[in-house]
């Protein structure tokens, strides 16, 4: 008697043949990584998903076989700046696979990271173009630091390694310069980062006279992590801020809209610390130079005064009567001690004093000849 049913294996083979006929070649699929796990054997297992209106709409298992895993995963990490992880929305080149034991899955043969990164780059360029059209790229460049910038408002995550590096490098500087650093906490990646950083800027603005500059610190991260610094609203807020804003965001290869509108940008938090240390050191060197110039000017003036005193002392010494007496001269005065310069200044019978180096003779004039 003929069977009126299918064995499970038969049904599974029919489904497999149908799947293979429906999708015989590799296809490109856009999906979000829900989870990723690298097994000890070398294979990498993922779960891909898609949401519609915030709700899960599709989900499927995916596999990167060991023979491709190293190349694909290292290539992705190099391009994206971080390992493949949950939350990344990417385009995968896949082959549909159906197993009678494990059901349907996708065999990943390539990862096109350029799709996601390309959209972000396009948006970044649009943002920069808009900032340029509105004249916001150069507004911060018109601001200047005070001669000794030491009161710094820092926007960062409090537990960020970059912030810790910055504080140590700045506050333990070799010159012993003192800086005041006040942290304004903010989210530094993700969708909430732009509004969080703008909020920190608003808090700083309430006390802007207490600070010389604002520093935005964010260490390295993936392209997707750092995309928040290409946000138009954040960049515009930085451009219009009344204090000089300095940024140290990401890697050497990264240039964000926030960097372009800032007063200045460097690539690492420690480089930003060096910028302010060097600014104070430059002013200190200038002050030291002025101090040396004043010291030399005073020394020169004192030398001139001392020379003039010596000259006057020499003149006084030369005019001292005792100096004349020591040279063999004598001086004659009347009884009142007035110097008699001529014989006609004395009269017969008057008393005079004749001064010698070794004493005085008191005389009476008997006769004038």
């Amino acid at each position: 008697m003929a069977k009126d049913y299918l064995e499970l294996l038969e049904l599974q083979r029919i489904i497999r043949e149908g799947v293979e006929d429906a999708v015989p070649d590799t296809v490109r699929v856009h999906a979000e990584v829900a989870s990723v796990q690298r097994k000890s054997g070398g294979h990498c297992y993922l779960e891909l998903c898609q949401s519609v209106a915030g709700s899960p709409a599709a989900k499927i298992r995916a596999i990167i076989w060991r023979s491709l895993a190293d190349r694909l995963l290292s290539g992705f990490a190099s391009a994206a700046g971080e390992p493949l992880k949950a939350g990344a929305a990417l385009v995968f080149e896949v082959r549909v696979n159906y197993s009678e034991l494990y059901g349907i899955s996708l065999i990943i043969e390539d990862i096109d990271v350029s799709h996601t990164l390309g959209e972000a780059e396009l948006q970044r360029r649009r943002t920069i173009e808009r900032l340029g059209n509105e004249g916001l790229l150069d507004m911060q460049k018109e601001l200047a630091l005070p001669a000794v910038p030491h009161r710094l408002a820092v926007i960062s995550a409090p537990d960020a390694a970059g912030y810790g590096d910055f504080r140590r490098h700045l506050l333990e500087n070799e010159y012993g310069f003192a800086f005041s650093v006040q942290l304004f906490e903010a989210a530094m990646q993700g969708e909430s980062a732009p509004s969080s950083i703008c909020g920190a800027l608003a808090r700083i603005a309430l006390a802007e006279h207490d600070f010389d500059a604002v520093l935005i610190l964010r260490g390295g991260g993936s392209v997707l992590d750092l995309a928040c610094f290409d946000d138009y609203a954040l960049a515009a807020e930085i451009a219009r801020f009344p204090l000089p804003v300095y940024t140290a965001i990401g890697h050497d290869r990264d240039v964000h809209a926030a960097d372009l509108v800032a007063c200045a940008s460097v690539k690492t938090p420690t480089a930003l610390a060096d910028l302010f240390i060097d600014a104070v050191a430059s002013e200190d060197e200038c002050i030291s130079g002025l101090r040396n110039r004043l010291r030399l000017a005073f020394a020169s003036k004192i030398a001139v005064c001392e020379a003039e005193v010596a000259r006057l002392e020499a003149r006084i010494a030369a005019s001292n009567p005792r100096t004349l007496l020591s040279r063999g001269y004598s001086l004659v005065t009347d009884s009142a001690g007035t110097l008699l310069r001529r014989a006609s200044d004395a009269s017969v019978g008057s008393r005079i004093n004749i001064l010698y180096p070794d004493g005085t003779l008191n005389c009476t004039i008997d006769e004038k000849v």
Side-chain angles (χ1 to χ4, degrees):
M1 183 173 96
K3 293 190 299 184
D4 57 356
Y5 57 85
L6 292 173
E7 296 289 345
L8 176 59
L9 182 59
E10 292 180 277
L11 177 60
Q12 293 282 59
R13 287 173 175 170
I14 292 171
I15 295 173
R16 185 185 67 185
E17 292 173 359
V19 168
E20 292 175 350
D21 289 341
V23 191
D25 302 314
T26 58
V27 294
R28 288 164 57 81
V29 176
H30 182 262
E32 181 178 335
V33 179
S35 66
V36 56
Q37 185 177 22
R38 184 81 183 265
K39 294 292 187 179
S40 58
H43 304 311
C44 184
Y45 295 90
L46 303 88
E47 186 175 70
L48 305 181
C49 66
Q50 181 180 353
S51 298
V52 175
S55 299
K59 186 179 293 186
I60 194 170
R61 293 184 305 110
I63 306 168
I64 305 176
W65 296 127
R66 177 177 54 205
S67 58
L68 291 176
D70 287 340
R71 179 174 65 82
L72 294 187
L73 296 177
S74 61
F76 175 87
S78 176
E82 66 174 0
L84 181 64
K85 64 181 182 180
L90 305 165
V91 172
F92 299 90
E93 186 171 322
V94 302
R95 177 169 47 82
V96 180
N97 179 72
Y98 190 89
S99 166
E100 289 86 347
L101 285 176
Y102 304 109
I104 195 167
S105 61
L106 302 179
I107 307 301
I108 297 175
E109 298 186 349
D110 202 358
I111 303 174
D112 185 3
V113 69
S114 65
H115 175 81
T116 300
L117 301 183
E119 288 295 326
E121 176 63 18
L122 180 61
Q123 182 58 45
R124 170 183 171 277
R125 294 184 181 183
R126 289 170 179 164
T127 297
I128 293 172
E129 182 179 7
R130 180 180 176 185
L131 293 168
N133 292 338
E134 295 176 359
L136 298 179
L137 290 177
D138 297 320
M139 290 184 69
Q140 275 278 318
K141 309 301 187 292
E142 299 174 1
L143 302 179
L145 288 171
V148 183
H150 67 285
R151 303 173 304 164
L152 308 178
V154 177
I155 299 176
S156 178
D159 56 349
Y163 173 60
D165 292 342
F166 168 81
R167 280 187 60 88
R168 283 189 297 274
H169 200 73
L170 182 75
L171 301 181
E172 299 173 9
N173 66 86
E174 61 180 310
Y175 304 100
F177 297 147
F179 291 90
S180 171
V181 178
Q182 183 172 340
L183 175 65
F184 290 80
E185 296 184 22
M188 302 305 287
Q189 69 180 57
E191 294 182 1
S192 64
S195 61
S196 183
I197 297 172
C198 287
L201 287 170
R203 296 195 299 276
I204 296 170
L206 295 175
E208 65 174 279
H209 298 297
D210 296 337
F211 302 105
D212 299 321
V214 178
L215 286 59
I216 300 177
L217 306 181
R218 170 64 163 88
S222 71
V223 173
L224 299 178
D225 285 343
L226 301 176
C228 57
F229 294 101
D230 290 316
D231 180 80
Y232 168 79
L234 173 58
E237 186 70 19
I238 292 172
R240 298 188 179 102
F241 203 74
L243 292 174
V245 178
Y246 289 76
T247 60
I249 300 168
H251 305 282
D252 289 342
R253 67 175 181 270
D254 302 319
V255 178
H256 299 280
D259 295 322
L260 295 176
V261 299
C263 184
S265 68
V266 296
K267 286 298 102 186
T268 65
T270 53
L272 192 51
D274 281 334
L275 186 150
F276 284 89
I277 293 171
D278 291 345
V280 177
S282 177
E283 186 64 18
D284 182 68
E285 183 178 353
C286 180
I287 293 172
S288 296
L290 290 174
R291 183 169 60 246
N292 291 335
R293 289 173 60 187
L294 285 173
R295 185 184 297 113
L296 291 173
F298 279 123
S300 177
K301 185 66 175 178
I302 290 172
V304 169
C305 292
E306 288 177 341
E308 181 66 14
V309 169
R311 187 180 65 81
L312 292 174
E313 288 177 342
R315 290 183 59 186
I316 292 171
S319 302
N320 190 332
R322 295 188 181 280
T323 302
L324 294 174
L325 295 176
S326 67
R327 295 175 183 172
Y329 294 96
S330 61
L331 297 176
V332 181
T333 68
D334 60 16
S335 58
T338 302
L339 182 67
L340 300 179
R341 298 178 181 277
R342 295 175 296 276
S344 60
D345 291 339
S347 59
V348 175
S350 62
R351 293 187 65 79
I352 60 174
N353 302 315
I354 302 174
L355 285 73
Y356 293 96
D358 58 347
T360 301
L361 299 178
N362 295 321
C363 307
T364 301
I365 298 176
D366 292 332
E367 181 183 1
K368 294 177 64 175
V369 294

mmCIF file of all heavy atoms in Angstrom, residues 319-321 324 329-334 337-347 352-353 355 365 368:
data_model
loop_
_atom_site.group_PDB
_atom_site.id
_atom_site.type_symbol
_atom_site.label_atom_id
_atom_site.label_comp_id
_atom_site.label_asym_id
_atom_site.label_seq_id
_atom_site.Cartn_x
_atom_site.Cartn_y
_atom_site.Cartn_z
ATOM 1 N N SER A 319 89.504 118.791 45.210
ATOM 2 C CA SER A 319 89.220 120.135 45.721
ATOM 3 C C SER A 319 89.425 120.244 47.219
ATOM 4 O O SER A 319 89.285 121.332 47.789
ATOM 5 C CB SER A 319 87.769 120.515 45.373
ATOM 6 O OG SER A 319 87.549 120.464 43.993
ATOM 7 N N ASN A 320 89.752 119.204 47.889
ATOM 8 C CA ASN A 320 89.943 119.210 49.342
ATOM 9 C C ASN A 320 91.226 119.983 49.675
ATOM 10 O O ASN A 320 92.299 119.678 49.144
ATOM 11 C CB ASN A 320 90.058 117.774 49.852
ATOM 12 C CG ASN A 320 90.014 117.688 51.361
ATOM 13 O OD1 ASN A 320 90.401 118.619 52.070
ATOM 14 N ND2 ASN A 320 89.561 116.528 51.848
ATOM 15 N N PRO A 321 91.143 121.010 50.524
ATOM 16 C CA PRO A 321 92.341 121.792 50.883
ATOM 17 C C PRO A 321 93.463 120.916 51.410
ATOM 18 O O PRO A 321 94.653 121.204 51.174
ATOM 19 C CB PRO A 321 91.814 122.744 51.959
ATOM 20 C CG PRO A 321 90.361 122.887 51.649
ATOM 21 C CD PRO A 321 89.932 121.535 51.156
ATOM 22 N N LEU A 324 95.664 119.788 48.733
ATOM 23 C CA LEU A 324 96.622 120.800 48.267
ATOM 24 C C LEU A 324 97.802 120.931 49.228
ATOM 25 O O LEU A 324 98.966 121.063 48.816
ATOM 26 C CB LEU A 324 95.907 122.157 48.132
ATOM 27 C CG LEU A 324 94.818 122.233 47.047
ATOM 28 C CD1 LEU A 324 94.093 123.581 47.130
ATOM 29 C CD2 LEU A 324 95.433 122.037 45.673
ATOM 30 N N TYR A 329 101.766 122.938 49.266
ATOM 31 C CA TYR A 329 101.167 124.248 49.317
ATOM 32 C C TYR A 329 100.785 124.590 50.756
ATOM 33 O O TYR A 329 100.706 123.709 51.636
ATOM 34 C CB TYR A 329 99.922 124.312 48.441
ATOM 35 C CG TYR A 329 100.225 124.154 46.954
ATOM 36 C CD1 TYR A 329 100.116 122.901 46.335
ATOM 37 C CD2 TYR A 329 100.614 125.252 46.187
ATOM 38 C CE1 TYR A 329 100.386 122.743 44.996
ATOM 39 C CE2 TYR A 329 100.878 125.097 44.843
ATOM 40 C CZ TYR A 329 100.758 123.835 44.247
ATOM 41 O OH TYR A 329 101.029 123.696 42.929
ATOM 42 N N SER A 330 100.519 125.889 50.999
ATOM 43 C CA SER A 330 99.981 126.341 52.272
ATOM 44 C C SER A 330 98.790 127.242 52.008
ATOM 45 O O SER A 330 98.673 127.830 50.924
ATOM 46 C CB SER A 330 101.048 127.107 53.086
ATOM 47 O OG SER A 330 101.484 128.255 52.365
ATOM 48 N N LEU A 331 97.923 127.373 52.982
ATOM 49 C CA LEU A 331 96.715 128.184 52.847
ATOM 50 C C LEU A 331 96.717 129.238 53.934
ATOM 51 O O LEU A 331 97.135 128.987 55.078
ATOM 52 C CB LEU A 331 95.477 127.300 52.973
ATOM 53 C CG LEU A 331 95.283 126.220 51.897
ATOM 54 C CD1 LEU A 331 94.064 125.356 52.230
ATOM 55 C CD2 LEU A 331 95.099 126.865 50.524
ATOM 56 N N VAL A 332 96.220 130.411 53.576
ATOM 57 C CA VAL A 332 96.177 131.531 54.524
ATOM 58 C C VAL A 332 94.733 131.960 54.713
ATOM 59 O O VAL A 332 94.011 132.159 53.732
ATOM 60 C CB VAL A 332 97.018 132.736 54.027
ATOM 61 C CG1 VAL A 332 96.972 133.891 55.036
ATOM 62 C CG2 VAL A 332 98.471 132.316 53.770
ATOM 63 N N THR A 333 94.329 132.083 55.959
ATOM 64 C CA THR A 333 92.974 132.540 56.276
ATOM 65 C C THR A 333 93.065 133.684 57.265
ATOM 66 O O THR A 333 94.073 133.875 57.959
ATOM 67 C CB THR A 333 92.143 131.401 56.876
ATOM 68 O OG1 THR A 333 92.671 131.063 58.173
ATOM 69 C CG2 THR A 333 92.139 130.170 55.983
ATOM 70 N N ASP A 334 92.013 134.457 57.319
ATOM 71 C CA ASP A 334 91.965 135.501 58.349
ATOM 72 C C ASP A 334 91.536 134.859 59.653
ATOM 73 O O ASP A 334 91.355 133.631 59.735
ATOM 74 C CB ASP A 334 91.041 136.651 57.921
ATOM 75 C CG ASP A 334 89.609 136.196 57.683
ATOM 76 O OD1 ASP A 334 89.249 135.067 58.147
ATOM 77 O OD2 ASP A 334 88.820 136.910 57.041
ATOM 78 N N GLY A 337 88.699 132.590 59.593
ATOM 79 C CA GLY A 337 88.822 131.351 58.837
ATOM 80 C C GLY A 337 88.537 131.517 57.364
ATOM 81 O O GLY A 337 88.507 130.537 56.619
ATOM 82 N N THR A 338 88.361 132.791 56.893
ATOM 83 C CA THR A 338 88.102 133.032 55.477
ATOM 84 C C THR A 338 89.407 132.965 54.712
ATOM 85 O O THR A 338 90.419 133.536 55.124
ATOM 86 C CB THR A 338 87.451 134.405 55.270
ATOM 87 O OG1 THR A 338 86.234 134.455 56.018
ATOM 88 C CG2 THR A 338 87.162 134.649 53.797
ATOM 89 N N LEU A 339 89.380 132.257 53.600
ATOM 90 C CA LEU A 339 90.564 132.067 52.792
ATOM 91 C C LEU A 339 91.000 133.394 52.191
ATOM 92 O O LEU A 339 90.192 134.120 51.599
ATOM 93 C CB LEU A 339 90.298 131.037 51.676
ATOM 94 C CG LEU A 339 91.473 130.692 50.778
ATOM 95 C CD1 LEU A 339 92.541 129.948 51.592
ATOM 96 C CD2 LEU A 339 90.990 129.819 49.609
ATOM 97 N N LEU A 340 92.254 133.736 52.335
ATOM 98 C CA LEU A 340 92.830 134.956 51.751
ATOM 99 C C LEU A 340 93.550 134.556 50.483
ATOM 100 O O LEU A 340 94.584 133.860 50.521
ATOM 101 C CB LEU A 340 93.790 135.605 52.749
ATOM 102 C CG LEU A 340 93.168 136.033 54.105
ATOM 103 C CD1 LEU A 340 94.221 136.635 55.023
ATOM 104 C CD2 LEU A 340 92.028 137.023 53.880
ATOM 105 N N ARG A 341 93.015 134.988 49.364
ATOM 106 C CA ARG A 341 93.563 134.589 48.075
ATOM 107 C C ARG A 341 94.631 135.588 47.576
ATOM 108 O O ARG A 341 95.454 135.209 46.749
ATOM 109 C CB ARG A 341 92.433 134.471 47.042
ATOM 110 C CG ARG A 341 91.408 133.404 47.414
ATOM 111 C CD ARG A 341 90.287 133.353 46.376
ATOM 112 N NE ARG A 341 89.281 132.364 46.725
ATOM 113 C CZ ARG A 341 89.364 131.077 46.472
ATOM 114 N NH1 ARG A 341 90.441 130.592 45.865
ATOM 115 N NH2 ARG A 341 88.401 130.280 46.847
ATOM 116 N N ARG A 342 94.540 136.825 48.055
ATOM 117 C CA ARG A 342 95.476 137.870 47.609
ATOM 118 C C ARG A 342 96.017 138.602 48.838
ATOM 119 O O ARG A 342 95.363 138.674 49.896
ATOM 120 C CB ARG A 342 94.788 138.860 46.680
ATOM 121 C CG ARG A 342 94.309 138.235 45.348
ATOM 122 C CD ARG A 342 93.524 139.267 44.547
ATOM 123 N NE ARG A 342 92.303 139.676 45.240
ATOM 124 C CZ ARG A 342 91.156 139.026 45.185
ATOM 125 N NH1 ARG A 342 91.081 137.896 44.460
ATOM 126 N NH2 ARG A 342 90.104 139.475 45.847
ATOM 127 N N ALA A 343 97.181 139.205 48.639
ATOM 128 C CA ALA A 343 97.789 139.978 49.747
ATOM 129 C C ALA A 343 96.925 141.166 50.104
ATOM 130 O O ALA A 343 96.851 141.606 51.265
ATOM 131 C CB ALA A 343 99.201 140.445 49.363
ATOM 132 N N SER A 344 96.254 141.699 49.141
ATOM 133 C CA SER A 344 95.401 142.864 49.392
ATOM 134 C C SER A 344 94.200 142.532 50.256
ATOM 135 O O SER A 344 93.511 143.443 50.743
ATOM 136 C CB SER A 344 94.938 143.459 48.059
ATOM 137 O OG SER A 344 94.185 142.489 47.323
ATOM 138 N N ASP A 345 93.920 141.266 50.454
ATOM 139 C CA ASP A 345 92.766 140.894 51.273
ATOM 140 C C ASP A 345 93.055 141.071 52.768
ATOM 141 O O ASP A 345 92.134 141.003 53.600
ATOM 142 C CB ASP A 345 92.382 139.420 51.017
ATOM 143 C CG ASP A 345 91.812 139.227 49.624
ATOM 144 O OD1 ASP A 345 91.349 140.216 49.032
ATOM 145 O OD2 ASP A 345 91.816 138.052 49.130
ATOM 146 N N ALA A 346 94.337 141.268 53.142
ATOM 147 C CA ALA A 346 94.696 141.442 54.555
ATOM 148 C C ALA A 346 95.281 142.843 54.768
ATOM 149 O O ALA A 346 95.820 143.464 53.839
ATOM 150 C CB ALA A 346 95.702 140.382 54.975
ATOM 151 N N SER A 347 95.221 143.343 55.960
ATOM 152 C CA SER A 347 95.740 144.675 56.297
ATOM 153 C C SER A 347 96.779 144.557 57.411
ATOM 154 O O SER A 347 96.807 143.549 58.152
ATOM 155 C CB SER A 347 94.611 145.596 56.725
ATOM 156 O OG SER A 347 93.934 145.057 57.869
ATOM 157 N N ILE A 352 96.411 136.582 60.972
ATOM 158 C CA ILE A 352 96.158 135.590 59.922
ATOM 159 C C ILE A 352 96.598 134.225 60.423
ATOM 160 O O ILE A 352 97.379 134.118 61.361
ATOM 161 C CB ILE A 352 96.881 135.938 58.603
ATOM 162 C CG1 ILE A 352 98.394 135.988 58.837
ATOM 163 C CG2 ILE A 352 96.344 137.236 58.019
ATOM 164 C CD1 ILE A 352 99.204 136.177 57.576
ATOM 165 N N ASN A 353 96.092 133.217 59.772
ATOM 166 C CA ASN A 353 96.458 131.826 60.061
ATOM 167 C C ASN A 353 97.093 131.232 58.817
ATOM 168 O O ASN A 353 96.531 131.299 57.721
ATOM 169 C CB ASN A 353 95.247 130.999 60.470
ATOM 170 C CG ASN A 353 94.542 131.578 61.689
ATOM 171 O OD1 ASN A 353 95.193 131.953 62.669
ATOM 172 N ND2 ASN A 353 93.214 131.646 61.619
ATOM 173 N N LEU A 355 98.185 127.759 57.191
ATOM 174 C CA LEU A 355 97.954 126.312 57.369
ATOM 175 C C LEU A 355 98.987 125.524 56.582
ATOM 176 O O LEU A 355 99.202 125.757 55.386
ATOM 177 C CB LEU A 355 96.550 125.917 56.896
ATOM 178 C CG LEU A 355 95.366 126.294 57.812
ATOM 179 C CD1 LEU A 355 95.090 127.792 57.779
ATOM 180 C CD2 LEU A 355 94.099 125.540 57.372
ATOM 181 N N ILE A 365 100.266 140.667 60.908
ATOM 182 C CA ILE A 365 100.927 141.319 59.778
ATOM 183 C C ILE A 365 101.559 142.624 60.302
ATOM 184 O O ILE A 365 100.841 143.517 60.791
ATOM 185 C CB ILE A 365 99.934 141.614 58.659
ATOM 186 C CG1 ILE A 365 99.332 140.296 58.130
ATOM 187 C CG2 ILE A 365 100.601 142.400 57.522
ATOM 188 C CD1 ILE A 365 98.264 140.500 57.073
ATOM 189 N N LYS A 368 103.240 145.344 54.869
ATOM 190 C CA LYS A 368 102.877 144.854 53.516
ATOM 191 C C LYS A 368 103.877 145.413 52.540
ATOM 192 O O LYS A 368 104.149 146.626 52.544
ATOM 193 C CB LYS A 368 101.472 145.292 53.132
ATOM 194 C CG LYS A 368 100.401 144.662 54.011
ATOM 195 C CD LYS A 368 99.007 145.181 53.643
ATOM 196 C CE LYS A 368 98.616 144.775 52.239
ATOM 197 N NZ LYS A 368 97.247 145.164 51.914
#
